[in-house]
């Protein structure tokens, strides 16, 4: 597949056809990494940042672990009265 570099403001832009974007799992607004090597330019989806809220949204009663008893508190774990 061939694409054309186009001017976008003071920069150059490469439009990614929808079929290619789908293959590399990117959508509008997603960050990508650009790497220049011996074979030319490589464009890859940037690793997704893990968000605690997104992880907690995945917790369900079915996958929630019960608390584990480790014994009495010791050292600085003990709260003053």
């Amino acid at each position: 597949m061939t694409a054309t570099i186009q001017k976008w403001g003071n920069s150059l832009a490469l439009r990614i056809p929808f079929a290619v974007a789908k293959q590399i799992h990117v959508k509008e607004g997603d960050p990508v990494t650009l790497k220049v090597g011996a074979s030319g330019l490589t464009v890859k989806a940037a690793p997704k940042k893990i968000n605690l809220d997104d992880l907690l949204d995945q917790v369900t009663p079915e996958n929630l672990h019960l608390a584990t008893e480790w014994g009495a508190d010791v050292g600085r774990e003990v709260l003053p009265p």
Side-chain angles (χ1 to χ4, degrees):
M1 176 177 291
T2 302
T4 303
I5 302 292
Q6 299 173 332
K7 185 143 175 74
W8 187 5
N10 290 330
S11 299
L12 297 177
L14 173 62
R15 294 183 69 160
I16 300 172
F18 180 76
V20 174
K22 193 172 178 180
Q23 285 180 320
I24 65 171
H25 307 288
V26 296
K27 62 184 182 312
E28 182 180 352
D30 284 352
V32 295
T33 58
L34 305 176
K35 184 176 181 182
V36 178
S39 61
L41 176 65
T42 303
V43 180
K44 291 185 179 180
K48 306 283 186 206
K49 290 188 178 180
I50 297 174
N51 180 323
L52 179 59
D53 289 331
D54 292 340
L55 291 174
L56 291 174
D57 287 343
Q58 297 176 37
V59 175
T60 65
E62 292 78 30
N63 66 15
L64 183 65
H65 297 273
L66 299 175
T68 301
E69 183 58 48
W70 293 97
D73 293 338
V74 296
R76 291 191 289 175
E77 295 172 353
V78 179
L79 296 175

